[in-house]
């Protein structure tokens, strides 16, 4: 609808300008012929369909101009309307659609010059105006094609970024599934061994203690199994290795120090009996945050690893100085580590907050909850 209104306004503007020029000419050369006023209106009318049929519109305008000239009813519309038609074809169609119309226009200029109707200076000026109209349309077409390519490239990059993020989350879930499988399998094996021992120790005082331990181990295994639901398991038995936990944080700090980053570990409080899955999540979050320090800050940086244990929760915070360099926002590809930490905290109703520090360096803060409601 907006384009239709614009085309109507364009035709009205061409006719109005042509009428004004014809009226000015009439005030000098005498009254214009009625056919000239009719041509002022009729010649630009095909421009109403210029967006749908650019080439056909140009030919219709040229035909109307030639008919008006042959009938002795030449008007300024015969100049303005073909210029708009040439611009439209150059704007919306490939250059090959301009060859024939331009040939007709140039032949007309040559014939008019030879016959004395159009002087040589006038022909040069008219040719320049036609060339400017065509170049303006071609430039607009090129610009529109460039903008469309930019928009398409931005959309493609956004799709690629989303796909990479989904793949990163899937990989992280698969790794978590492998680790959780080992934890749950270990707990179930302990339960089976305790149950077997209880059956051999029937009617003895050791039965009650063994069964209580079976119950506690079973509840822990069920909690871990609930968090396993929805995760896809990938990899084979050969990939299973003992999984780290809270007791391995000192070793982790030592590994990072060996990479050239000065790390200080601060632990406040004492961890509860939350199970190996919780310890693994805390370890992996701290590991990912310190790995980012190594990658982005590099050797010579200083980092603080702070672990605060509560009654039913734990807070992990990693602060680094960036080796004195201001932190930059992560690229889409660099956000995979943050996505992995978010996956680690999700089963424990936790949160992850990461961002640059004032001045220099980076800060990562994660919170995990281990209350009874979380296990449910």
């Amino acid at each position: 609808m907006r384009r239709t209104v614009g085309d109507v306004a364009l035709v009205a503007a061409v006719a109005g300008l042509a009428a004004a020029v014809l009226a000015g000419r009439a005030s000098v050369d005498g009254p214009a012929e009625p056919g000239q006023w009719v041509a002022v209106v009729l010649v630009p009318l095909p421009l109403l369909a210029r967006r749908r049929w650019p080439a056909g519109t140009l030919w219709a305008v040229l035909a109307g101009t030639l008919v008006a000239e042959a009938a002795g009813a030449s008007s300024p519309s015969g100049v303005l309307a073909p210029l708009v038609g040439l611009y439209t074809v150059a704007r919306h169609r490939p250059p090959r659609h301009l060859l024939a119309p331009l040939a007709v226009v140039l032949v007309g200029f040559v014939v008019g010059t030879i016959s004395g109707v159009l002087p040589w200076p006038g022909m040069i000026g008219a040719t320049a105006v036609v060339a400017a109209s065509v170049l303006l349309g071609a430039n607009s077409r090129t610009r529109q094609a460039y903008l469309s390519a930019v928009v398409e490239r931005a959309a493609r990059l956004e799709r690629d970024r989303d796909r990479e993020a989904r793949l990163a989350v899937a990989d992280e879930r698969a790794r978590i599934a492998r680790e959780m499988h080992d934890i749950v399998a270990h707990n179930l094996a302990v339960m089976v061994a305790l149950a077997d021992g209880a059956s051999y120790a029937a009617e003895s005082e050791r039965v009650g203690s063994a069964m209580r331990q079976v119950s506690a181990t079973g509840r822990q295994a069920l909690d871990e199994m609930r968090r396993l639901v929805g995760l896809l398991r990938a990899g084979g038995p050969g990939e299973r290795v003992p999984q780290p936990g809270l007791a391995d944080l000192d070793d982790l700090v030592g590994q990072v120090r060996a990479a050239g980053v000065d790390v200080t570990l601060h632990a406040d409080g004492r961890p509860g009996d939350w199970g190996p899955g919780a310890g693994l999540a805390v370890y992996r979050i701290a590991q990912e945050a310190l790995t980012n320090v190594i990658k982005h800050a590099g050797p010579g940086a200083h980092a603080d690893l702070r672990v605060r244990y509560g009654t039913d929760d734990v807070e992990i915070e990693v602060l680094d100085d960036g080796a004195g360099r201001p932190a930059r926002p992560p690229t889409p590809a660099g956000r995979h580590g943050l996505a992995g930490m978010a996956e680690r905290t999700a089963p424990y109703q936790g949160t992850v907050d990461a961002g640059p520090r004032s001045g220099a360096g980076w800060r990562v803060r994660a919170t995990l909850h281990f209350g009874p409601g979380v296990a449910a």
Side-chain angles (χ1 to χ4, degrees):
M1 181 62 183
R2 184 178 300 176
R3 290 183 174 182
T4 302
V5 173
D7 291 336
V8 171
L10 176 63
V11 171
V14 171
L17 181 60
V21 173
L22 185 61
R25 184 190 302 172
S27 65
V28 176
D29 300 334
E33 297 292 332
Q36 291 179 298
W37 291 105
V38 173
V40 164
V41 178
L42 293 183
V43 171
L45 278 182
L47 294 176
L48 291 174
R50 70 188 189 94
R51 296 182 189 272
R52 183 173 298 180
W53 300 295
T57 297
L58 175 57
W59 284 114
V61 168
L62 291 175
T65 300
L66 292 176
V67 170
E69 292 286 342
S74 63
S75 71
S77 291
V79 176
L80 299 176
L83 289 177
V84 176
L86 287 170
Y87 167 83
T88 301
V89 173
R91 170 69 175 78
H92 297 286
R93 289 293 182 266
R96 66 177 182 273
H97 291 87
L98 284 169
L99 297 178
L102 284 177
V104 171
V105 172
L106 293 177
V107 168
F109 287 167
V110 172
V111 171
T113 302
I114 294 175
S115 62
V117 176
L118 183 65
W120 280 101
M123 187 192 77
I124 295 174
T127 304
V129 172
V130 168
S133 178
V134 171
L135 290 176
L136 182 61
N139 180 69
S140 298
R141 181 172 180 269
T142 302
R143 177 177 174 80
Q144 182 61 39
Y146 171 75
L147 292 177
S148 300
V150 169
V151 171
E152 173 61 25
R153 181 173 181 271
R156 185 172 64 254
L157 290 176
E158 185 175 357
R159 291 193 298 268
D160 292 343
R161 180 195 64 191
D162 294 341
R163 183 172 62 252
E164 289 178 1
R166 289 193 297 269
L167 291 175
V169 171
D171 291 342
E172 187 66 19
R173 287 182 174 179
R175 187 174 70 169
I176 295 173
R178 291 195 299 269
E179 296 170 348
M180 297 297 291
H181 175 274
D182 295 337
I183 294 171
V184 174
H186 169 75
N187 289 334
L188 292 178
V190 172
M191 290 175 59
V192 171
L194 291 172
D196 290 341
S199 64
Y200 288 119
E203 305 299 334
S204 71
E205 296 180 356
R206 297 174 57 191
V207 175
S209 175
M211 295 310 297
R212 282 192 295 272
Q213 193 169 356
V214 168
S215 177
T217 306
R219 281 195 298 270
Q220 180 177 317
L222 288 175
D223 290 343
E224 303 294 351
M225 186 63 75
R226 289 189 182 102
R227 297 187 180 100
L228 182 61
V229 173
L231 296 178
L232 298 176
R233 189 186 188 285
E239 297 181 4
R240 301 175 188 170
V241 295
Q243 301 301 330
L246 298 176
D248 300 292
L249 289 177
D250 289 324
D251 294 337
L252 174 63
V253 169
Q255 295 170 5
V256 177
R257 286 174 180 164
V261 177
D262 182 22
V263 183
T264 303
L265 173 61
H266 307 273
D268 298 330
R270 298 185 62 183
D273 187 15
W274 301 321
L280 176 61
V282 172
Y283 180 92
R284 292 302 188 199
I285 292 172
Q287 183 184 46
E288 183 64 39
L290 291 175
T291 301
N292 288 338
V293 175
I294 297 173
K295 288 166 54 180
H296 301 293
H302 175 78
D304 289 321
L305 171 59
R306 301 174 181 176
V307 184
R308 305 180 185 92
Y309 299 104
T311 304
D312 291 318
D313 59 12
V314 62
E315 178 183 301
I316 309 103
E317 187 175 37
V318 176
L319 305 171
D320 70 86
D321 60 4
R325 297 186 297 272
R328 293 178 297 178
T331 62
R335 299 189 67 89
H336 294 166
L338 298 179
M341 286 188 277
E343 287 293 320
R344 294 284 181 181
T345 60
Y348 300 99
Q349 296 183 5
T351 58
V352 176
D353 180 28
R357 300 175 63 189
S358 177
W362 194 264
R363 172 180 177 269
V364 176
R365 180 178 177 272
T367 304
L368 295 83
H369 303 278
F370 306 112
V374 177

